[in-house]
Amino acid sequence: MQIFAFLSLLSSIIIMALGIFVYSTNRKSQLNRIFLFLCVMAFYWAFMESMLRDADSFSSAFVWMKLTAFWTFVPAATFHFTLYFTESKLLKRSSWIPFLIYGPAAFFSFLELVTNLIITTPVMRYWGYSYQYAPDMLPFLIELAWAFGILVLSLFLCIRYYFQVPGLQQKNQTKYIVTGISVAIIGEFFCELVLPLFHVIIPEPEAIFFIFFSGMVAYAVQKYELFVVNPTTAADNIVSTMTDSLILLDRRYTITSVNEETEKITGYQRETLVGRPFSTIFVNPQDSNEILSKITADSAIRDIETLFRSHDGASIPVSFSGSVIKNTSGENNGIVCISRDITQRKLLEDTLKENEHRFRELADLLPQTIFEMDMEGNLTYVNYAGVEIFGIDNTKIRTGVNVREYLIPGDIERMRRGLALVMGGAKSSGEVYTLRRLDGTLMKAMVNTGPVIRNGVAIGFRGIVIDITDRVTLEKTLNETTEFLTGILQASPVGVFRLDPSGQITYINESFRKITGITFEILQGKYWADILPKEERERMIMAIAASVREHKMVEAEARYIHPDGKQYWLFGQVVPLFDPVGHIKGWVGTITDITQRKTIEVELRESEEKFRSLAENTAALLFSLDVNGVFTYVSPLINSYGFLVEDVVSHHFNDFVYPDDRKKVQVNFRNVIDGEREVTSVFRMVDRWGYIHWVEEISTIRVNVFGKPVGVYGVLRDVTDRRRTEDAIQLANKKLNLLNNITRHDIINTITGLFGCVDMAASTQSKEERSVLLAEIKDLVRIIQRQITFTREYQEVGVHAPVWQNLKDVMDRVIVNFSKQNIRFDLDLEDTEIYADPLLEKVFYNLIDNAIRYGETVTAIRFYYQISDKGLALICEDDGVGVPAESKEQIFERGIGRNTGMGLFLTREILLITGITIQENGTYGKGARFELLIPNGAWRFPVTGQRGKNISQPTN
């Protein structure tokens, strides 16, 4: 083997031997375990280097070189050892400290093992294979700086500990550890960083320096008892003879040893307790701190009672003693703790105290008076209740007080005879006496007494006084109440009965006899259901069974055949009676004759049916309101307005009234409530779809039996069509009057021009001029003719009331007039109705005729509709030349056009009767497009196909 490889192998063996030696001094010490781990890692490092140096090939050297990657755990373990040795608080503050110590070591080991960032390949030196570092030295220098950094930090912690620790022995231990770390750091620094600058390369000396460090630790162990705790060494010889719990602590107050008795008392296993803080076994950890402080201050404590916490969480009272253990230098090296389980003693003490106070506490808690007296009746003890009731306190007892002072004179002799019977061996049966209270009032009391025997001799009496004043008063009241209730039962108009557990009748009152017509002598012992008709029995028996099953009162109605043969209706209520264990012990119940009520109910039901039939089939809407204007009833006709009955009931009347009319409706409502006999008003209401309906209301006041107003009855009749007709006729009359005035003025002007032409023709001598004037006269006459013809047509506008008209039917009648024009008609109108003047047919005739006359190239005319928020747009389109943009408004004016100039003017006037507008919005050159906008409420889709009979549905 190569000499340098042998030296590394020898170093690894020496390091491992030192580690085992130190660990064997105290295998339970955490410090010894950390040092052993440090030596194991140093052994591993030195052994791998010996294998690397002695490798016989490059490939085997490469493997051994990679395996040395875990060398970084040596400085990390050194730092961990230093933290524990110096008792650093960092280990107690955070559980992350071990991760922060060994995490970087693991990271650098990983880099060396799987990458070439730090070491690349082995290189042959004169001492054998060695490391070849990566060209980029930065990772290696970072790793080296980390290793030197934590070693320097370890050295710093040891030096600080040296100056802080008070004991001379601990200072000597620290001194050797500081020396070992210092030599390792300085030697490694010179060998790795300084000597290579002078081209002096020494084979890796780490193992040599670690042998020196380990040797310093071993020397400290041998000379200054490093890692050795004297209590632990002594414990093995002591614990086997201890009958009490023995616990040994090191100077960090960590448990190092326990005996078997400790395991029995606490329930912990020895392995669980060793290495844990002393506070682990205390119910209150603060108690352990106080005890340790006293031991440290006084060197020893004795018989302090405290509470240990067992493994299962139970509290264990113990008597605790403890003493400081000093080393050969007189320094504190640990604490020995001895504890005795005093659970049984505490239980005996508590039992004794409880027995001492039990009688007095129990006696004082009782509301009854407890007393003791001698043979002469002098009181020797009275409990708290006696003090409260009679004022007999200890002062009176000491001065002397006799029981006779509290008895009325008539009871003193009776008491003497009762006590004599008790002395003769009779058992006290509870004599009732009248006693005088502290405030002078009298009370009824039951007194039970017994003799007090001492050494076989009666020396007095002991007894209890029970206040039964309330019970006596209650018994008296109960008797009076029983008599009173008996009288009520006999005088009550309601029949009362009682049944035994088998259902047999045991009691009835007089009213029961009168209602049923059967005497108690006949009913007594009879099964209750036998008096009912056979068809009623099963139903009533099931009802009674339900009362037992559900433990509640049952109510039921049943027919009853009176002995005189008449049929009656009875209303019964039955309550089951149960004993304390839940067994049925009978029933009590009542019966009431409800024959008259049932008759009224039948009549009322028939009346309600008649009213409901009337309300559901009348054409008017019936309703009722309370005094606040809230609906309490509304007839089903409300459905035709899109509302369900439940949508209206419990809502205010004004919620369905058009906003502008609400004030007027509210005034009318108040007038009715304030006493006006009947009010009729017309207003607008809004249906679910937002459409407005005109309604006529007739309302009258509703009063209760005392004549006080409780609401309003009312009838609503929909007058929307009537209102529209009235509005349309009024508008038509207005237009006719205006047009008559205009037409009359136009005809007079035309006649004036005609007279002028006649006069000019009569006065002229020129034939040519006369011919021209005659032609003008003819034109003026034609104008007058057209005006008269238009007035004949226009006078029909608005003469008849508007009606709902089916568009398809109207169009079918119009198209027939153009069947020979070779025009294709496209109708996409479905089954739609609009509300318009009866001359609606004239409107569509004019539109088609206008298209044929002026469209020039018309071959097709289409009618269809579109629905929007504004209403239904009915559109008439053709494929002719269309209307020029400048003429789109003029074509609707009177007199504009090639023929009479009245067609589209008359069309617009007919439509306006019911608010329908018309406009031309086609594109010139592509055809005319007339759009008729029918407002919401003036068009609808029929609900059924029977036009003229159906109720049509307004459409939004």
Side-chain angles (χ1 to χ4, degrees), residues 623 625 653 663-683 695-702 711-717:
F623 67 91
L625 308 173
F653 188 81
K663 185 175 181 180
K664 178 179 71 175
V665 171
Q666 187 65 26
V667 170
N668 291 336
F669 174 76
R670 294 315 312 174
N671 290 339
V672 175
I673 293 296
D674 292 340
E676 192 168 335
R677 185 173 182 82
E678 184 177 284
V679 172
T680 302
S681 62
V682 178
F683 57 90
V695 294
E696 182 181 63
E697 175 203 13
I698 302 175
S699 56
T700 184
I701 193 169
R702 179 163 59 100
V712 167
Y713 290 121
V715 178
L716 284 180
R717 189 160 53 90

Side-chain angles (χ1 to χ4, degrees), residues 172 217 437 495 685 697 802 893:
N172 289 327
V217 172
R437 298 188 183 95
M685 65 175 287
E697 175 203 13
E893 297 178 5

Side-chain angles (χ1 to χ4, degrees), residues 551-831:
H551 285 223
K552 69 176 185 179
M553 181 180 71
V554 172
E555 300 177 348
E557 297 178 357
R559 287 185 303 107
Y560 172 71
I561 306 301
H562 197 272
D564 61 10
K566 295 181 180 179
Q567 177 177 290
Y568 287 81
W569 277 96
L570 302 181
F571 173 72
Q573 294 176 302
V574 182
V575 179
L577 304 176
F578 298 94
D579 61 19
V581 296
H583 297 149
I584 186 72
K585 65 177 184 178
W587 290 266
V588 293
T590 63
I591 60 170
T592 307
D593 185 352
I594 60 169
T595 306
Q596 186 177 4
R597 192 191 78 186
K598 295 293 285 187
T599 303
I600 294 173
E601 286 178 355
V602 171
E603 295 174 352
L604 180 61
R605 192 177 302 113
E606 292 175 353
S607 176
E608 287 179 350
E609 289 295 331
K610 292 177 183 179
F611 173 77
R612 184 177 295 107
S613 176
L614 177 64
E616 291 177 356
N617 293 284
T618 185
L621 179 68
L622 307 182
F623 67 91
S624 65
L625 308 173
D626 63 15
V627 292
N628 296 314
V630 175
F631 279 102
T632 57
Y633 170 78
V634 64
S635 64
L637 188 62
I638 195 68
N639 300 150
S640 63
Y641 296 95
F643 298 107
L644 299 175
V645 171
E646 51 267 31
D647 294 336
V648 178
V649 174
S650 299
H651 289 77
H652 199 278
F653 188 81
N654 268 351
D655 292 346
F656 306 93
V657 177
Y658 187 69
D660 293 347
D661 295 346
R662 288 176 181 171
K663 185 175 181 180
K664 178 179 71 175
V665 171
Q666 187 65 26
V667 170
N668 291 336
F669 174 76
R670 294 315 312 174
N671 290 339
V672 175
I673 293 296
D674 292 340
E676 192 168 335
R677 185 173 182 82
E678 184 177 284
V679 172
T680 302
S681 62
V682 178
F683 57 90
R684 289 166 288 181
M685 65 175 287
V686 183
D687 65 16
R688 178 177 286 276
W689 301 283
Y691 298 136
I692 298 172
H693 299 264
W694 283 93
V695 294
E696 182 181 63
E697 175 203 13
I698 302 175
S699 56
T700 184
I701 193 169
R702 179 163 59 100
V703 297
N704 59 17
V705 294
F706 304 105
K708 182 179 178 181
V710 294
V712 167
Y713 290 121
V715 178
L716 284 180
R717 189 160 53 90
D718 194 322
V719 295
T720 303
D721 289 346
R722 188 188 78 185
R723 186 77 180 205
R724 286 173 178 164
T725 300
E726 291 173 354
D727 292 344
I729 292 174
Q730 183 179 0
L731 177 62
N733 289 334
K734 182 177 178 181
K735 288 179 176 291
L736 284 172
N737 291 333
L738 177 61
L739 185 64
N740 286 337
N741 291 334
I742 294 172
T743 304
R744 184 174 61 253
H745 181 268
D746 290 345
I747 292 175
I748 291 173
N749 289 339
T750 304
I751 291 173
T752 301
L754 179 61
F755 283 142
C757 289
V758 172
D759 290 341
M760 290 175 63
S763 63
T764 184
Q765 298 298 322
S766 172
K767 291 183 179 181
E768 293 80 4
E769 187 177 353
R770 187 179 290 114
S771 298
V772 172
L773 290 172
L774 288 174
E776 290 180 5
I777 289 172
K778 288 181 179 180
D779 291 337
L780 291 174
V781 171
R782 290 191 187 96
I783 291 173
I784 293 172
Q785 184 183 24
R786 287 199 304 269
Q787 290 172 339
I788 294 172
T789 301
F790 172 71
T791 57
R792 184 182 69 245
E793 295 178 352
Y794 193 78
Q795 70 181 359
E796 297 296 325
V797 177
V799 172
H800 302 288
V803 294
W804 287 98
Q805 302 176 60
N806 189 282
L807 287 178
K808 291 184 69 176
D809 293 348
V810 174
M811 291 302 302
D812 288 343
R813 292 195 297 271
V814 172
I815 292 174
V816 173
N817 296 299
F818 302 98
S819 59
K820 298 180 180 181
Q821 295 295 331
N822 197 25
I823 300 295
R824 179 171 57 84
F825 292 95
D826 184 6
L827 304 180
D828 186 10
L829 300 177
E830 295 189 4
D831 197 12

Side-chain angles (χ1 to χ4, degrees), residues 34 38 72-88 90 101-102 145-163 173-185 210 213:
I34 295 174
L38 172 60
T72 54
F73 282 87
V74 174
T78 303
F79 183 60
H80 192 190
F81 167 79
T82 304
L83 287 176
Y84 207 88
F85 172 74
T86 59
E87 302 175 351
S88 174
L90 291 175
I101 295 173
Y102 293 104
W146 168 79
F148 273 105
I150 61 174
L151 289 175
V152 171
L153 182 57
S154 300
L155 179 62
F156 169 76
L157 291 175
C158 290
I159 294 173
R160 187 182 68 171
Y161 182 72
Y162 176 83
F163 289 104
Q173 294 171 354
T174 307
K175 177 174 64 177
Y176 283 99
I177 292 176
V178 168
T179 302
I181 295 176
S182 300
V183 170
I185 292 174
F210 195 83
F213 169 71

Side-chain angles (χ1 to χ4, degrees), residues 39-251:
C39 291
V40 169
M41 295 311 300
F43 161 77
Y44 172 83
W45 185 14
F47 181 79
M48 291 301 128
E49 283 197 341
S50 71
M51 295 296 102
L52 171 64
R53 292 172 181 175
D54 198 45
D56 56 359
S57 65
F58 178 84
S59 59
S60 62
F62 182 80
V63 172
W64 293 115
M65 181 192 71
K66 285 296 183 180
L67 290 177
T68 61
F70 296 100
W71 71 270
T72 54
F73 282 87
V74 174
T78 303
F79 183 60
H80 192 190
F81 167 79
T82 304
L83 287 176
Y84 207 88
F85 172 74
T86 59
E87 302 175 351
S88 174
K89 295 180 179 179
L90 291 175
L91 293 173
K92 299 179 180 180
R93 289 179 180 174
S94 175
S95 59
W96 287 88
I97 294 301
F99 174 78
L100 296 177
I101 295 173
Y102 293 104
F107 173 73
F108 287 123
S109 296
F110 176 79
L111 289 182
E112 288 194 14
L113 189 64
V114 302
T115 71
N116 294 325
L117 293 176
I118 298 177
I119 56 175
T120 56
T121 58
V123 59
M124 179 60 73
R125 306 288 187 184
Y126 67 88
W127 59 81
Y129 281 105
S130 185
Y131 306 100
Q132 176 69 43
Y133 296 104
D136 183 3
M137 295 291 289
L138 181 60
F140 168 70
L141 293 176
I142 293 175
E143 181 185 44
L144 198 62
W146 168 79
F148 273 105
I150 61 174
L151 289 175
V152 171
L153 182 57
S154 300
L155 179 62
F156 169 76
L157 291 175
C158 290
I159 294 173
R160 187 182 68 171
Y161 182 72
Y162 176 83
F163 289 104
Q164 290 179 344
V165 71
L168 178 61
Q169 187 176 22
Q170 292 169 304
K171 285 184 179 291
N172 289 327
Q173 294 171 354
T174 307
K175 177 174 64 177
Y176 283 99
I177 292 176
V178 168
T179 302
I181 295 176
S182 300
V183 170
I185 292 174
I186 295 172
E188 187 68 20
F189 178 78
F190 272 91
C191 291
E192 292 291 340
L193 298 178
V194 177
L195 294 179
L197 297 177
F198 299 97
H199 303 289
V200 177
I201 300 177
I202 298 177
E204 290 84 359
E206 297 86 357
I208 304 300
F209 295 137
F210 195 83
I211 290 175
F212 181 80
F213 169 71
S214 302
M216 290 293 101
V217 172
Y219 184 74
V221 169
Q222 182 67 26
K223 185 172 183 179
Y224 296 106
E225 299 179 342
L226 179 63
F227 304 144
V228 178
V229 179
N230 288 337
T232 304
T233 306
D236 292 337
N237 298 321
I238 297 174
V239 294
S240 59
T241 61
M242 295 289 296
T243 58
D244 295 331
S245 164
L246 183 139
I247 302 173
L248 296 177
L249 309 177
D250 61 16
R251 62 171 178 266

